[in-house]
Amino acid sequence: MTDLSILLRAYRLMSQTRAMADLYEANRTVCKYVHSTSRGHEAIQLATAFQLQPQDFVSPYYRDESMLQGLGFTPYEQMLQLLAKGNDIFTGGREYYSHPNYRGGDKPLIIHQSSATGMQAIPTTGIAQGIRYWEKSAPSRLKKGPNGEAPIVLCSMGDASVTEGEVSEAMQFAVLKQLPVIYLVQDNNWGISVSAGEARSMNAYEYVAGFKGMNRVQVDGSDFEASYRVMKEVCDFVRTDRKPVLVHAETPLLGHHTSGVRKDFYRSQVDWEKHEKNDPIPKLRKRLLEKGVAEADLLQIEKEAVERVMADFDKAVAAPEPDPATVGDHVFVPTPVTAEKGERCPAKAEKVLMVDAALYAIRELMEDNPDMILYGQDVGKRLGGVFREAATLAEQFGEHRVFNTAIQEAYIVGSTVGLNAVGIKPVVEVQFADYLYPGFNQLVTEISKSCYLTCGKFPVSMVLRVPIGAYGGGGPYHSGSVETTVLSVKGIKVVYPSNAADMKGLMKAAFHDGNPVVILEHKGLYWSKVPGTEEAKTPEPSRDYMVPLGKASILLNASADAIDAGESCLVITYGMGVYWARAAAKQFKQQIEVMDLRTLYPLDEELIFERVRAHGKCLILTEEQQNNSFAEALAGRISHHCFTSLDAPVEVMGALNLPAVPMNTGLEKAMLPNAEKLGERLRKLLGE
């Protein structure tokens, strides 16, 4: 039997959330930003919140305003986000209502919450993955409750989100590793205007029966006492047994889907009346009366709730708007790596392959950083990566730190968010650039926006390794270039080394950067097996060598005489383009300067513009298909900034605009740039 004080606390908060919903509806012109309310879901949300402790982690979804109040957030704090005010404690006016994030010692930690339904399942499962890692390797790193209670993770979702494939990826990993995570599914039988019968053949409880190792339970989410009892049992079980559980809670939907998608657009009166019968507030009110609480006392609670909500609303309306000058703040956290350090070419250092330089960098990082782990497809002990880029690492550091995953690019990418929240810095790998796309949703929706939308509270320090490019007959799904696609995402950094020294220096800088970094690693340069790429092998730099992100390098200089005579050209390139450019330059008399960008974002615009102005002629060389590419965008930027110094239009040379790289090597050659084709273009540009 639930203690009366808990029931009264729940009723006070339910009265508050009802008053908030009524107030928002009555002030639609003031509450102009889209929002959802928790009407109908109050019981299960409060019952859940009451079980959580400060050492725990929770990811609410966009309808969980009651859960937030149960955790201790005030109506005023929530209303600041509703009205997108500058002192919104969660996102400073950047996010929707009930999209919290929180890092403080008094409440559970809340990572960034996106609006993409179901997407939080992977980052939140990543938190549980991190907890499991520390439990096995360094239990003292975990915060415990006042009586030694272990932390748990709760991921809250609506029922319609469970049909998302990424929810399945999260649950697969949770049952495989037996993680301490609870998936709370609030089922109101609607996914905007799509009914449950239209969208799925089973509910979440039935669905997870296929996930071997997933514990599951159902509850009437409109009954507070039943919900409280079930959630206490579930939370206690996960605290002690450390196994995943899905809770399927049936609830009514008593408000609109959102303020912009109103119930009368798609719901019948019959459906509406059916849901109203299960309103959790009258149910709890009736139960309190049965327990001897006086009617006058309940009326007083309701009156006080309305008064508080109105006072908080007036205060929130009067709060200041965000300062427009801050709109560009918190895209990234400051990086500690701002200058090149260490020895690039130590005395007596042996030359190493690019693939080995990456391996050595990872090994040294793992030796120095116990909070670093490496995972992805086939990187574990048996193979060590399809290119042997992780060979021997699992043997040295153990399978808890270097391990294989299933074919789950979304999980590989998105779980890094949750790992960061518990102090783990992951390096992860997608096997080929062509297979990055299944993980792209997490990269865009969760990772890239986390720092910005949390005002710097939750930057994602991660390195994503992506083998890229054509290397002779790799075919249409193992030869692609994706840099323009990746660079279209703001909030991530992108590097593209062309030799072993830069591979090691950039890998280490990326790890220490503190932000999400994608490293594009050309497969054709890994082993220097492609003719003309021998110079990708370099002496191995020192252990402390780092190349700051955003610094290009000049690999080949034109002569001063050629520059002074106006007979020189700058070739800006990266990756395999470096070797095409070097080979083509041999056809000219010290007229070609070759710049290796090394980092595609942030871009070394200062050096680019300086060298373009010196030469007056410029060609940007890329392996990507040319139309609408990063290279063409860069050409436009150069034209704008260097217009008065140009002797000719900025040229771009890339691959033919085909959907894929053909398998046949003759067709591949016809599609891609090479030194011979580049030489012809340079002769025309130089007027020869």
Side-chain angles (χ1 to χ4, degrees):
M1 184 176 294
T2 309
D3 187 272
L4 181 61
S5 64
I6 294 172
L7 298 180
L8 286 169
R9 180 186 173 200
Y11 192 70
R12 288 189 187 95
L13 293 175
M14 285 188 189
S15 299
Q16 247 176 218
T17 54
R18 177 171 58 186
M20 290 161 70
D22 291 344
L23 188 63
Y24 301 165
E25 185 68 11
N27 291 271
R28 288 174 60 188
T29 56
V30 177
C31 305
K32 60 184 179 180
Y33 300 110
V34 66
H35 58 272
S36 298
T37 74
S38 58
R39 284 295 288 118
H41 292 236
E42 298 95 336
I44 185 62
Q45 291 182 18
L46 291 171
T48 300
F50 290 177
Q51 313 306 323
L52 298 178
Q53 300 175 6
Q55 76 273 14
D56 295 332
F57 302 81
V58 57
S59 289
Y61 88 119
Y62 60 80
R63 202 175 293 284
D64 277 342
E65 63 174 357
S66 287
M67 186 181 294
L68 294 179
Q69 291 192 58
L71 292 173
F73 295 102
T74 66
Y76 174 66
E77 289 170 327
Q78 293 176 275
M79 291 169 180
L80 289 173
Q81 188 171 54
L82 171 82
L83 302 175
K85 294 293 188 171
N87 48 356
D88 157 29
I89 67 165
F90 303 124
T91 70
R94 298 178 177 191
E95 260 282 24
Y96 307 97
Y97 181 59
S98 199
H99 285 62
N101 65 84
Y102 186 75
R103 188 187 289 275
D106 61 329
K107 299 179 181 68
L109 185 142
I110 307 174
I111 59 174
H112 167 246
Q113 302 301 296
S114 76
S115 286
T117 56
M119 294 306 100
Q120 75 271 34
I122 286 177
T124 309
T125 304
I127 297 174
Q129 177 188 345
I131 289 173
R132 175 67 82 220
Y133 173 78
W134 288 128
E135 285 178 337
K136 291 183 177 180
S137 62
S140 62
R141 290 288 298 264
L142 289 175
K143 180 181 177 182
K144 297 289 186 70
N147 298 308
E149 299 96 334
I152 60 174
V153 181
L154 186 128
C155 179
S156 180
M157 298 180 284
D159 56 294
S161 68
V162 178
T163 56
E164 288 276 11
E166 294 184 23
V167 174
S168 172
E169 288 196 22
M171 291 179 176
Q172 286 273 7
F173 198 91
V175 295
L176 178 68
K177 303 294 184 179
Q178 286 294 282
L179 302 180
V181 59
I182 301 164
Y183 300 102
L184 171 62
V185 178
Q186 300 176 52
D187 188 350
N188 60 35
N189 281 285
W190 285 102
I192 308 183
S193 68
V194 181
S195 67
E198 292 176 272
R200 59 180 191 261
S201 60
M202 65 197 82
N203 65 32
Y205 178 83
E206 296 162 334
Y207 176 66
V208 298
F211 290 85
K212 184 179 179 180
M214 180 72 78
N215 300 277
R216 58 188 181 135
V217 64
Q218 296 193 98
V219 67
D220 177 357
S222 68
D223 183 329
F224 177 79
E225 284 188 290
S227 296
Y228 186 90
R229 182 174 61 254
V230 165
M231 291 311 301
K232 185 177 189 311
E233 290 171 357
V234 167
C235 290
D236 288 348
F237 170 79
V238 178
R239 284 196 199 284
T240 56
D241 288 47
R242 318 306 284 155
K243 295 178 180 179
V245 179
L246 180 135
V247 178
H248 175 245
E250 292 187 303
T251 68
L253 178 60
L254 299 181
H256 308 287
H257 169 68
T258 67
S259 55
V261 182
R262 307 183 67 75
K263 62 177 183 278
D264 44 296
F265 293 175
Y266 62 92
R267 295 175 68 183
S268 68
Q269 185 64 28
V270 172
D271 174 78
W272 176 247
E273 291 172 355
K274 177 183 175 182
H275 280 245
E276 273 196 316
K277 291 178 182 177
N278 284 315
D279 188 335
I281 299 179
K283 281 187 176 183
L284 181 56
R285 195 180 200 280
K286 181 174 182 291
R287 184 72 177 129
L288 286 167
L289 289 170
E290 290 171 352
K291 282 181 166 287
V293 178
E295 172 75 14
D297 291 339
L298 295 179
L299 290 172
Q300 182 63 25
I301 288 172
E302 294 160 10
K303 178 175 178 291
E304 290 173 356
V306 171
E307 290 173 349
R308 179 179 185 181
V309 165
M310 291 183 68
D312 279 6
F313 186 70
D314 289 342
K315 185 180 174 185
V317 169
E321 298 292 322
D323 181 355
T326 66
V327 69
D329 294 350
H330 305 299
V331 176
F332 297 112
V333 292
T335 176
V337 185
T338 57
E340 188 170 359
K341 62 171 291 190
E343 290 186 79
R344 183 177 179 89
C345 189
K348 299 181 181 180
E350 294 185 4
K351 284 190 174 183
V352 295
L353 296 163
M354 246 181 77
V355 71
D356 288 338
L359 174 66
Y360 301 156
I362 295 290
R363 177 182 295 152
E364 291 170 358
L365 285 167
M366 295 195 78
E367 288 171 348
D368 296 340
N369 299 277
D371 56 353
M372 175 182 170
I373 63 174
L374 170 69
Y375 59 98
Q377 296 164 31
D378 297 304
V379 303
K381 185 181 292 186
R382 292 188 195 90
L383 187 59
V386 294
F387 300 101
R388 304 294 287 159
E389 71 279 6
T392 73
L393 292 176
E395 288 92 335
Q396 180 175 351
F397 297 104
E399 292 181 276
H400 66 298
R401 293 188 68 190
V402 181
F403 55 90
N404 292 326
T405 66
I407 303 173
Q408 294 183 328
E409 288 85 359
Y411 189 86
I412 292 168
V413 174
S415 56
T416 63
V417 178
L419 287 163
N420 264 252
V422 292
I424 294 173
K425 297 181 68 173
V427 175
V428 296
E429 182 174 320
V430 171
Q431 206 162 73
F432 290 90
D434 305 83
Y435 302 136
L436 176 63
Y437 298 103
F440 206 65
N441 200 1
Q442 289 290 324
L443 191 66
V444 175
T445 305
E446 307 299 334
I447 291 174
S448 71
K449 296 176 174 60
S450 183
C451 187
Y452 183 70
L453 293 180
T454 64
C455 295
K457 292 194 292 295
F458 288 96
V460 181
S461 179
M462 60 84 78
V463 177
L464 171 58
R465 300 182 65 184
V466 183
I468 192 171
Y471 57 111
Y477 291 99
H478 297 80
S479 307
S481 292
V482 299
E483 55 263 36
T484 295
T485 304
V486 176
L487 287 163
S488 69
V489 184
K490 313 311 172 192
I492 60 175
K493 299 184 179 183
V494 183
V495 303
Y496 202 140
S498 68
N499 58 70
D502 286 339
M503 172 68 88
K504 186 172 184 180
L506 289 167
M507 180 73 75
K508 291 205 167 186
F511 177 80
H512 291 292
D513 189 86
N515 296 289
V517 182
V518 177
I519 299 186
L520 303 176
E521 306 175 13
H522 201 291
K523 303 184 295 290
L525 301 178
Y526 267 157
W527 298 88
S528 289
K529 288 183 177 180
V530 175
T533 62
E534 180 68 20
E535 290 184 74
K537 292 192 292 186
T538 70
E540 184 188 357
S542 62
R543 187 183 188 94
D544 62 344
Y545 181 65
M546 281 191 272
V547 176
L549 307 191
K551 295 295 182 182
S553 66
I554 304 298
L555 297 183
L556 183 66
N557 292 292
S559 70
D561 289 344
I563 295 173
D564 292 342
E567 297 174 351
S568 66
C569 176
L570 173 67
V571 176
I572 301 172
T573 188
Y574 53 93
M576 186 62 75
V578 166
Y579 299 93
W580 295 329
R582 279 177 157 173
K586 294 176 182 178
Q587 305 170 31
F588 301 87
K589 298 176 181 179
Q590 293 185 294
Q591 296 169 273
I592 307 302
E593 183 170 298
V594 178
M595 178 187 294
D596 182 357
L597 291 175
R598 301 197 294 191
T599 302
L600 307 186
Y601 190 87
L603 198 59
D604 193 349
E605 292 186 348
E606 182 179 353
L607 183 61
I608 291 169
F609 298 156
E610 174 195 322
R611 300 314 301 157
V612 169
R613 292 180 181 121
H615 290 275
K617 289 179 284 293
C618 172
L619 184 146
I620 303 169
L621 176 63
T622 178
E623 185 175 326
E624 270 198 304
Q625 294 91 326
Q626 181 174 325
N627 280 11
N628 304 313
S629 64
F630 156 71
E632 287 198 333
L634 177 55
R637 204 176 313 168
I638 291 171
S639 296
H640 176 75
H641 287 277
C642 304
F643 181 75
T644 58
S645 301
L646 291 172
D647 299 328
V650 178
E651 294 279 342
V652 177
M653 184 175 183
L656 299 181
N657 297 298
L658 305 176
V661 180
M663 175 74 77
N664 179 274
T665 53
L667 295 176
E668 179 186 282
K669 183 178 179 181
M671 177 187 180
L672 298 178
N674 58 34
E676 182 181 355
K677 295 176 185 178
L678 176 59
E680 293 175 7
R681 288 287 294 275
L682 290 174
R683 275 188 284 274
K684 290 180 182 179
L685 183 55
L686 291 168
E688 296 184 3

